Structure formats: C-alpha cells, structure tokens
Amino acid sequence: MTPPRTQQIPVVVLAGFLGSGKTTLLNHLLRNRAGTRIGVIVNDFGSIEIDAMTVAGQVGSTVSLGNGCLCCAVDASELDTFLETLTRPSARLDLIVIEASGLAEPQELVRMLLASENPHILYGGLVEVVDAAEFDGVRERHPEIDRHLAVADLVVLNKTDRVGEAEQERLRAAVAELSRPAAVISAVHGRIDPELLFDPALRPDGEERIRQLTFEDLLREEAGGDHDDHAGHLHAAYESVDFTSDVPLDPRRFIAFLDSRPEGLYRIKGFADFGAGDRDNRYALHAVGRFLRFVPQPWARGEQRLTQLVMIGAGIDAEALRAGLTACRAEPGPETPDTETERAMWGVLRYVQQEPEPEDVREEAAAET
C-alpha cells in the first residue's frame, strides 16, 4: 500500500524593527490558532512570551509547550537544523513562524528559506510589522527599513490607535508606496485575522476534541467564549474572494493573470483544472506575495473536475478579480493535448516543485541512519 503524501509546512517570516509589536502579533496568532499546531523559531537572543509563559531564549534550546506550540531560539546559521527538527512527522506542525530579530535583515531569512533543500517546507511569506507612531523616526534613523518593506509580502501597520485618522492615512500611503505591490493592513495590538496567514486545522483524529485544557481554552472561557473583543471584525481589514469554474483554465492565460496580479492581493490558494493540458492531475496552487507554486495531484475516481480558488488581500477589487479569472477559461478544444497546449503548460510546470517524501518513507530512512 502506498503511504499518503506529506503536506508541506508553510514557513512565515515575521519581521519588524524593535518595538514594532512582532511578539504581540505572534502571541495573538498563538492564542487564536483554532487548533493549528504552530512551531516558532526566534532569530534572536533574549526572551519571548508565549501564551503568558516566558521562555528563556538560548541558542540551541527547544521548549515543548502543552498547548501544541514549540519555541526554539536560534541564530540564522542554525536555521536549517531547526527546520529539520520541526518538520519531523512527530512534531505534527501545520505552520512555522520565524520571528526575526528587530535588527535582522529579513530578506536574508527569506533567501535562506527559498534556497533550503528541505522538501517539507513551503515559503509562507514575509510579514513586516510597522509601528505607526514611530515610523517616521525609525525610518530616519534606519533607512534600511525601506529595503525591508520593498521585499515584504504583507505589511501590518500596527499601533494605529496611537495616531489620528489623517495621520494613519498618510502612513498607509507611504508604507504602500514603499512596499508595492504588497498588501497593507492596519492593526491595534497586533490583532490581525489569523486566516491571513494560515487556515484553521481540521483534525480527523479527534485530537482537538479530546485533549488537556490549554491556555487558549482558558482565555476563551474567561471572556465568555470570545476573549478578543475585536475578533469579530478583524476581517474588515481584508477581503476574501472565491472563484469556482467547471470549465478548465487556459494555462497561458492563467499564468498571465498570476504574473499581473494586482497590488494588495496577498494569498491565493486552491486547485486549478487545466483540462487537456493534464487530464490526470489537478494543480494545487499556493501563492503568497510574489511567491508561486503548483503541485500536481491525481484526480480521484469520479471526482467532479472544478477549478476552486480563494484570493485574500487588502484593497482588492473582487469583481475585477473574478472577471480576470473568468477570462482565463479555456475555449472548447480537443480532448487530447496538442503541441500548443503542451507548450502553454510549460508556464505552469516551471512553478512545480518535487513532492516531499511520505512520512513512512522518511521514518524508515531515519531508522536506517
């Protein structure tokens, strides 16, 4: 029997200057993780507070917390080693977040991730946190902030409660200009909707139903089921757009659409049907910021062949996106691929990465070494 394939784990880089609110945002994600198991790597010396627990940060230390989170303190040279540890099947993680030092060059962490030979990780984007009240002063003292914003996939303009409405709009415009075409969202106390970065985990084994009470549960109970008064409208900062089509997509048109995706569009996820381009497979799509990847997956017997996509961003035009995708639908043609169709698929295939090994194979290989 062929063992199931292992899903790649997204790795998100969380960056921002000292005091911008990175740790506060990270705590918010951990407290609102909706069953998602999150591994945290801290690229710094010091300490990080996770779910009201202070974990002393020492190079090489790994701390396992009872609420399904892991925290490691590392320097950049050890990143691959810790990623290998966190992607082991026994960790069962759904997401890894690297909190960069406030004085780090985040693009170096991104470069290391994209160059990593670890087949079990997937780049999840660079999130740059900006302190709205201190932005002008920090930028004046540290002009490298402009370079950091230029490579961000998502910018969180944090602490907007400390500036007036007119000032906030000025700052949003300035940050958007520097980070174009990244999405920019405003936040207070790092409260962003976790679904911007990850999807809630759905566990078939009942792990989230039968387990010890966690700090997350205590927070929820203390607040009467909702510990964050703002959680109900965090989604107001961004928009989610769905698209479904029972007509296959033209691969060349679809790649052109992705290459020209508008500013503010942060994530695209789902599955694409390319019809005669590949009758055997649907293509799982993962796009974050400028990063794009396809993973071919065999169609199940009797499965309805659909393209199903979800697009998430800030300041996006939903109707324009749907219209653009509708224009990507293929014209009726032959059931078998012709030369033109095969050439059109090359644009898709250049974004395909080899699938990671199944868990059973990985464990057997580890046992033999």
Side-chain angles (χ1 to χ4, degrees):
M1 178 178 177
T2 302
R5 289 176 296 186
T6 304
Q7 184 176 358
Q8 289 176 295
I9 302 172
V11 182
V12 173
V13 177
L14 181 61
F17 192 70
L18 295 169
S20 60
K22 298 188 302 296
T23 302
T24 301
L25 190 153
L26 180 56
N27 286 335
H28 170 73
L29 294 178
L30 294 173
R31 289 171 176 154
N32 294 274
R33 58 190 180 85
T36 301
R37 292 177 63 91
I38 302 176
V40 178
I41 297 177
V42 183
N43 173 225
D44 204 358
F45 299 100
S47 62
I48 178 173
E49 184 177 296
I50 298 182
D51 282 358
M53 303 175 187
T54 301
V55 180
Q58 297 181 6
V59 173
S61 69
T62 303
V63 181
S64 179
L65 303 180
N67 65 348
C69 303
L70 296 175
C71 177
C72 314
V74 302
D75 60 26
S77 65
E78 296 179 307
L79 184 58
D80 272 333
T81 300
F82 276 82
L83 286 174
E84 182 61 33
T85 299
L86 293 178
T87 54
R88 289 175 180 170
S90 57
R92 301 186 65 198
L93 294 181
D94 303 299
L95 177 77
I96 296 172
V97 178
I98 301 175
E99 184 186 7
S101 161
L103 300 175
E105 288 288 343
Q107 60 266 42
E108 287 303 306
L109 290 173
V110 171
R111 181 189 60 76
M112 292 174 67
L113 287 175
L114 294 177
S116 174
E117 296 183 357
N118 187 328
H120 312 295
I121 64 171
L122 187 67
Y123 178 57
L126 168 60
V127 179
E128 184 78 15
V129 184
V130 172
D131 183 337
E134 303 293 335
F135 176 67
D136 290 333
V138 168
R139 189 183 178 198
E140 182 177 348
R141 296 191 305 275
H142 300 277
E144 64 270 21
I145 294 296
D146 289 9
R147 186 170 66 250
H148 298 175
L149 287 169
V151 296
D153 299 300
L154 174 68
V155 179
V156 178
L157 185 61
N158 196 28
K159 305 185 184 181
T160 53
D161 57 322
R162 296 181 57 193
V163 298
E165 186 174 338
E167 177 67 358
Q168 184 180 155
E169 288 303 312
R170 183 190 70 81
L171 290 167
R172 279 183 59 88
V175 168
E177 182 64 29
L178 292 168
S179 62
R180 199 176 304 276
V184 180
I185 61 171
S186 299
V188 176
H189 302 304
R191 295 184 185 126
I192 67 170
D193 194 319
E195 290 193 40
L196 272 170
L197 304 182
F198 59 83
D199 304 317
L202 300 175
R203 302 192 179 283
D205 57 5
E207 175 186 320
E208 289 301 319
R209 294 194 303 270
I210 305 174
R211 56 177 170 75
Q212 291 184 338
L213 193 66
T214 69
F215 188 78
E216 174 186 313
D217 299 319
L218 294 174
L219 281 174
R220 190 171 290 114
E221 286 186 4
E222 181 180 335
D226 185 0
H227 64 269
D228 187 346
D229 292 338
H230 298 271
H233 55 80
L234 288 174
H235 63 276
Y238 72 94
E239 186 170 5
S240 178
V241 182
D242 298 332
F243 176 81
T244 301
S245 174
D246 57 2
V247 176
L249 299 184
D250 178 284
R252 183 174 284 111
R253 292 182 201 163
F254 187 49
I255 289 297
F257 170 86
L258 294 173
D259 286 343
S260 61
R261 51 192 185 271
E263 296 177 13
L265 183 56
Y266 175 59
R267 290 180 70 194
I268 308 176
K269 56 186 178 179
F271 303 94
D273 173 20
F274 292 114
D278 189 341
R279 290 293 180 191
D280 296 327
N281 296 293
R282 66 179 185 175
Y283 282 72
L285 167 64
H286 170 77
V288 55
R290 303 163 180 83
F291 178 81
L292 174 62
R293 178 159 297 160
F294 287 103
V295 178
Q297 300 177 349
W299 289 104
R301 184 184 298 273
E303 180 180 2
Q304 185 179 8
R305 302 201 170 197
L306 297 173
T307 290
Q308 297 176 299
L309 301 171
V310 177
M311 296 161 283
I312 300 173
I316 56 178
D317 185 332
E319 292 308 312
L321 287 173
R322 290 194 182 98
L325 285 170
T326 298
C328 293
R329 293 189 297 186
E331 303 293 336
E335 289 296 314
T336 56
D338 54 20
T339 303
E340 185 64 25
T341 304
E342 290 177 346
R343 286 177 178 171
M345 282 297 294
W346 292 349
V348 173
L349 297 176
R350 66 191 172 104
Y351 292 107
V352 171
Q353 185 185 47
Q354 184 178 358
E355 278 281 281
E357 296 175 353
E359 290 183 8
D360 292 356
V361 174
R362 293 165 60 191
E363 290 173 338
E364 288 175 6
E368 292 174 359
T369 57

